[in-house]
Amino acid sequence: MANAVLSNRLIAMLRRRGAQLPDPLDADAMAALERCERCVNKGMCEELLATPGTGGNRSFCPNAPYVEARRERQLKF
């Protein structure tokens, strides 16, 4: 159950930035899920996700570079 909640944080952060996890999950996605699971900033993450919009300071997030890389990849066509 805890993993599902933590994974939902990563999914919510990806959605906030207009991105999503790859299907099927690759090694980078699995590593991002693991970082999310071990993250000590869950409270800050929940606060950010509770705010409206797509931005916000994500410097606390160990997955911020991954999220932005996924976003950039999906913006290219």
Side-chain angles (χ1 to χ4, degrees):
M1 182 74 162
N3 287 347
V5 171
L6 296 173
S7 296
N8 285 338
R9 284 189 192 100
L10 178 58
I11 291 167
M13 189 68 78
L14 285 160
R15 283 187 185 147
R16 181 179 182 92
R17 299 297 296 147
Q20 59 189 6
L21 288 171
D23 183 21
L25 296 178
D26 58 17
D28 289 337
M30 296 300 289
L33 289 164
E34 188 173 321
R35 280 190 299 272
C36 188
E37 185 175 335
R38 293 189 323 250
C39 186
V40 297
N41 299 315
K42 293 174 185 78
M44 293 174 77
C45 184
E46 289 174 0
E47 285 182 32
L48 175 65
L49 293 172
T51 63
T54 61
N57 181 357
R58 295 174 306 282
S59 62
F60 64 87
C61 180
N63 277 322
Y66 175 76
V67 170
E68 292 309 306
R70 291 294 308 161
R71 178 177 185 261
E72 184 177 314
R73 177 176 287 163
Q74 289 178 232
L75 290 175
K76 293 178 183 176
F77 50 92

